[in-house]
Coordinates of all heavy atoms in Angstrom, one line a residue:
I1 N 96.4 99.9 101.7 CA 97.4 99.6 100.7 C 98.7 100.3 101.2 O 98.6 101.5 101.7 CB 97.0 100.1 99.3 CG1 95.8 99.2 98.9 CG2 98.1 99.9 98.3 CD1 95.2 99.7 97.6
L2 N 99.9 99.7 101.0 CA 101.1 100.4 101.3 C 101.8 100.8 100.1 O 101.8 100.0 99.1 CB 102.0 99.4 102.1 CG 101.6 99.1 103.6 CD1 102.5 98.0 104.2 CD2 101.5 100.3 104.4
Q3 N 102.5 101.9 100.1 CA 103.3 102.4 98.9 C 104.4 101.4 98.6 O 105.0 100.9 99.6 CB 103.8 103.8 99.2 CG 104.6 104.4 98.0 CD 105.0 105.8 98.3 OE1 104.3 106.5 99.1 NE2 106.1 106.2 97.7
N4 N 104.6 101.1 97.3 CA 105.6 100.1 96.8 C 105.2 98.7 97.2 O 106.0 97.8 96.9 CB 107.0 100.4 97.4 CG 107.5 101.8 97.0 OD1 107.2 102.2 95.8 ND2 108.2 102.5 97.8
Q5 N 104.0 98.4 97.7 CA 103.5 97.1 97.9 C 103.2 96.4 96.6 O 102.8 97.1 95.6 CB 102.3 97.1 98.8 CG 101.8 95.7 99.2 CD 100.5 95.8 100.0 OE1 99.7 96.8 99.8 NE2 100.3 94.9 100.9
A6 N 103.3 95.1 96.5 CA 103.0 94.4 95.3 C 101.5 94.5 95.0 O 100.7 94.4 95.9 CB 103.3 92.9 95.4
P7 N 101.1 94.8 93.8 CA 99.7 95.0 93.4 C 98.8 93.8 93.4 O 98.8 93.1 92.4 CB 99.7 95.7 92.1 CG 101.0 95.1 91.4 CD 101.9 94.9 92.6
T8 N 98.2 93.4 94.5 CA 97.4 92.2 94.6 C 95.9 92.5 94.5 O 95.1 91.6 94.1 CB 97.7 91.4 95.9 OG1 97.5 92.3 97.0 CG2 99.2 91.0 95.9
D9 N 95.5 93.7 95.0 CA 94.0 94.0 95.0 C 93.8 95.5 94.7 O 94.8 96.3 94.9 CB 93.5 93.7 96.4 CG 93.7 92.3 96.9 OD1 93.0 91.4 96.4 OD2 94.7 92.1 97.6
F10 N 92.6 95.8 94.3 CA 92.2 97.2 94.4 C 90.9 97.3 95.1 O 90.2 96.3 95.2 CB 92.1 97.9 93.0 CG 91.1 97.3 92.0 CD1 89.8 97.6 92.1 CD2 91.6 96.4 91.0 CE1 88.9 97.0 91.2 CE2 90.6 95.8 90.1 CZ 89.3 96.1 90.2
Y11 N 90.6 98.5 95.6 CA 89.4 98.7 96.5 C 88.5 99.8 96.0 O 89.0 100.8 95.5 CB 89.9 99.0 97.9 CG 90.7 97.9 98.6 CD1 92.1 97.8 98.3 CD2 90.1 97.0 99.4 CE1 92.9 96.8 98.9 CE2 90.9 96.0 100.1 CZ 92.2 95.9 99.8 OH 93.0 94.9 100.4
I12 N 87.2 99.6 96.3 CA 86.2 100.6 95.9 C 85.5 101.0 97.2 O 85.1 100.2 98.0 CB 85.2 100.0 95.0 CG1 85.8 99.6 93.7 CG2 84.0 101.1 94.7 CD1 84.9 98.9 92.7
L13 N 85.5 102.3 97.5 CA 85.0 102.9 98.7 C 83.4 102.8 98.7 O 82.8 103.2 97.8 CB 85.4 104.3 98.9 CG 85.0 105.0 100.2 CD1 85.6 104.3 101.4 CD2 85.3 106.5 100.2
I14 N 82.9 102.2 99.8 CA 81.4 102.2 99.9 C 80.9 103.2 101.0 O 80.1 104.0 100.8 CB 80.9 100.7 100.3 CG1 81.4 99.7 99.3 CG2 79.4 100.7 100.5 CD1 80.8 100.0 97.9
E15 N 81.5 103.1 102.2 CA 81.3 104.1 103.2 C 82.6 104.4 104.0 O 83.5 103.6 104.0 CB 80.3 103.5 104.3 CG 78.8 103.4 103.7 CD 77.9 103.1 104.8 OE1 78.3 103.0 106.0 OE2 76.7 102.8 104.5
G16 N 82.6 105.7 104.5 CA 83.8 106.1 105.2 C 84.6 107.1 104.4 O 84.2 107.7 103.5
S17 N 85.9 107.1 104.8 CA 86.8 108.0 104.0 C 88.2 107.5 104.2 O 88.6 106.9 105.3 CB 86.7 109.5 104.5 OG 87.0 109.6 105.9
V18 N 89.1 107.8 103.2 CA 90.5 107.3 103.3 C 91.4 108.4 102.8 O 91.0 109.3 102.0 CB 90.7 106.0 102.4 CG1 89.9 104.9 102.9 CG2 90.4 106.3 100.9
D19 N 92.6 108.5 103.3 CA 93.6 109.4 102.8 C 94.6 108.8 101.8 O 94.9 107.6 102.0 CB 94.4 109.9 104.0 CG 93.7 110.9 104.9 OD1 92.8 111.6 104.3 OD2 93.9 111.0 106.1
I20 N 95.0 109.6 100.8 CA 96.0 109.1 99.9 C 97.3 109.7 100.4 O 97.5 111.0 100.4 CB 95.7 109.6 98.5 CG1 94.3 109.2 98.1 CG2 96.7 109.0 97.5 CD1 93.8 109.8 96.8
V21 N 98.3 108.9 100.8 CA 99.5 109.3 101.4 C 100.7 109.0 100.5 O 100.8 107.8 100.0 CB 99.7 108.7 102.8 CG1 101.0 109.2 103.4 CG2 98.5 109.0 103.6
F22 N 101.5 110.0 100.2 CA 102.7 109.7 99.4 C 103.9 109.9 100.3 O 104.1 111.0 101.0 CB 102.8 110.7 98.2 CG 104.0 110.5 97.3 CD1 104.1 109.4 96.5 CD2 105.0 111.5 97.3 CE1 105.2 109.2 95.7 CE2 106.1 111.3 96.5 CZ 106.2 110.2 95.7
T23 N 104.8 109.0 100.3 CA 106.0 109.0 101.1 C 107.3 109.3 100.2 O 107.5 108.5 99.2 CB 106.2 107.7 101.9 OG1 105.0 107.5 102.7 CG2 107.4 107.8 102.8
E24 N 108.0 110.3 100.6 CA 109.3 110.6 99.8 C 110.3 111.1 100.8 O 110.1 112.0 101.6 CB 109.0 111.7 98.8 CG 110.2 111.9 97.9 CD 109.8 112.9 96.7 OE1 108.8 113.6 96.9 OE2 110.5 113.0 95.8
N25 N 111.5 110.4 100.8 CA 112.5 110.7 101.7 C 112.1 110.6 103.2 O 112.4 111.4 104.0 CB 113.1 112.2 101.5 CG 113.7 112.4 100.1 OD1 114.3 111.4 99.6 ND2 113.5 113.6 99.5
N26 N 111.3 109.5 103.4 CA 110.8 109.1 104.7 C 109.9 110.2 105.3 O 109.6 110.3 106.5 CB 112.0 108.9 105.7 CG 112.8 107.7 105.3 OD1 112.3 106.7 104.8 ND2 114.1 107.8 105.6
K27 N 109.3 111.0 104.5 CA 108.3 112.1 104.9 C 107.0 111.8 104.2 O 106.9 111.7 103.0 CB 108.8 113.5 104.5 CG 110.1 113.9 105.3 CD 110.5 115.3 105.0 CE 111.7 115.8 105.8 NZ 112.1 117.1 105.4
E28 N 106.0 111.7 105.0 CA 104.6 111.4 104.5 C 103.9 112.7 104.2 O 104.0 113.7 104.9 CB 103.8 110.6 105.5 CG 104.3 109.2 105.7 CD 103.3 108.4 106.6 OE1 102.4 109.0 107.2 OE2 103.5 107.2 106.7
K29 N 103.1 112.7 103.1 CA 102.3 113.8 102.7 C 101.0 113.4 102.2 O 100.9 112.5 101.3 CB 103.0 114.6 101.6 CG 102.3 115.9 101.2 CD 103.0 116.6 100.1 CE 102.2 117.8 99.6 NZ 102.9 118.5 98.5
V30 N 99.9 113.9 102.8 CA 98.6 113.5 102.3 C 98.3 114.3 101.0 O 98.2 115.6 101.1 CB 97.5 113.8 103.4 CG1 96.1 113.5 102.9 CG2 97.8 113.0 104.7
V31 N 98.2 113.6 99.9 CA 98.0 114.3 98.6 C 96.5 114.3 98.2 O 96.2 114.9 97.2 CB 98.9 113.7 97.6 CG1 100.3 113.9 97.9 CG2 98.5 112.2 97.4
G32 N 95.6 113.6 98.9 CA 94.2 113.6 98.5 C 93.4 112.8 99.5 O 94.0 112.1 100.4
T33 N 92.1 112.9 99.4 CA 91.2 112.2 100.3 C 90.0 111.7 99.5 O 89.5 112.4 98.6 CB 90.7 113.1 101.4 OG1 91.8 113.6 102.2 CG2 89.8 112.3 102.3
F34 N 89.6 110.4 99.7 CA 88.4 109.8 99.1 C 87.4 109.8 100.2 O 87.6 109.2 101.2 CB 88.7 108.4 98.6 CG 89.6 108.4 97.4 CD1 90.3 107.3 97.0 CD2 89.7 109.5 96.5 CE1 91.1 107.3 95.9 CE2 90.5 109.5 95.4 CZ 91.2 108.4 95.1
E35 N 86.2 110.4 99.9 CA 85.1 110.5 100.9 C 83.8 110.0 100.3 O 82.8 109.9 101.0 CB 85.0 111.9 101.5 CG 86.2 112.4 102.2 CD 86.0 113.8 102.8 OE1 85.4 114.6 102.0 OE2 86.4 114.0 103.9
N36 N 83.8 109.8 99.0 CA 82.5 109.5 98.3 C 82.5 108.1 97.8 O 83.5 107.5 97.4 CB 82.3 110.4 97.1 CG 82.3 111.9 97.4 OD1 81.7 112.3 98.4 ND2 83.1 112.7 96.7
A37 N 81.3 107.5 98.0 CA 81.1 106.1 97.5 C 81.4 106.0 96.0 O 81.0 106.9 95.2 CB 79.7 105.6 97.8
G38 N 82.1 105.0 95.6 CA 82.5 104.8 94.2 C 83.9 105.2 93.8 O 84.3 105.0 92.7
E39 N 84.6 105.8 94.8 CA 86.0 106.2 94.5 C 86.9 104.9 94.7 O 86.7 104.1 95.6 CB 86.5 107.3 95.4 CG 85.7 108.6 95.1 CD 86.2 109.8 95.9 OE1 86.0 109.8 97.1 OE2 86.8 110.7 95.3
I40 N 87.9 104.8 93.8 CA 88.7 103.6 93.7 C 90.1 103.9 94.1 O 90.6 105.0 93.8 CB 88.5 103.0 92.3 CG1 89.2 101.6 92.3 CG2 89.1 103.9 91.3 CD1 89.0 100.8 91.0
C41 N 90.8 102.9 94.7 CA 92.2 103.1 95.1 C 92.9 101.8 94.8 O 92.3 100.7 94.9 CB 92.3 103.5 96.5 SG 91.4 102.5 97.7
G42 N 94.2 101.9 94.5 CA 95.0 100.7 94.2 C 94.9 100.2 92.7 O 95.6 99.2 92.4
E43 N 94.1 100.9 91.9 CA 93.9 100.4 90.6 C 95.1 100.6 89.7 O 95.3 99.9 88.7 CB 92.6 101.0 90.0 CG 92.8 102.5 89.4 CD 92.9 103.5 90.5 OE1 92.9 103.1 91.7 OE2 92.9 104.7 90.2
I44 N 95.9 101.7 90.0 CA 97.0 102.0 89.2 C 98.1 100.9 89.2 O 98.6 100.4 88.2 CB 97.7 103.3 89.6 CG1 96.7 104.5 89.4 CG2 99.0 103.6 88.9 CD1 97.2 105.8 90.0
G45 N 98.3 100.4 90.4 CA 99.3 99.3 90.5 C 98.8 98.0 89.8 O 99.6 97.3 89.2
V46 N 97.5 97.7 90.0 CA 97.0 96.5 89.4 C 97.0 96.5 87.8 O 97.4 95.6 87.1 CB 95.6 96.2 89.9 CG1 94.9 95.0 89.2 CG2 95.6 95.9 91.4
L47 N 96.5 97.6 87.3 CA 96.3 97.8 85.8 C 97.7 98.0 85.1 O 97.9 97.6 84.0 CB 95.4 98.9 85.5 CG 93.9 98.7 86.0 CD1 93.0 99.8 85.6 CD2 93.3 97.4 85.5
C48 N 98.6 98.8 85.8 CA 99.9 99.1 85.2 C 100.9 98.0 85.5 O 102.1 98.2 85.1 CB 100.3 100.5 85.6 SG 99.2 101.8 85.0

């Protein structure tokens, strides 16, 4: 998922790990990591 992208889907982690990256003033910062099965990402854009 890209920041500021149109909310078309949300994803649920089954295996692996993903970083949550926030971009501000063209600077990226990792603000969190999902490593456990059942963690969800992209739901804020879809629901809100």
Side-chain angles (χ1 to χ4, degrees):
I1 296 174
L2 291 176
Q3 185 174 330
N4 297 323
Q5 183 184 33
T8 56
D9 306 279
F10 63 81
Y11 296 84
I12 298 174
L13 183 65
I14 301 300
E15 287 188 10
S17 60
V18 299
D19 285 332
I20 307 170
V21 182
F22 181 71
T23 303
E24 188 175 17
N25 298 326
N26 294 325
K27 294 183 179 180
E28 291 188 349
K29 180 181 178 182
V30 178
V31 297
T33 301
F34 289 158
E35 298 179 318
N36 301 316
E39 293 185 289
I40 187 172
C41 51
E43 79 285 6
I44 296 176
V46 171
L47 298 181
C48 297

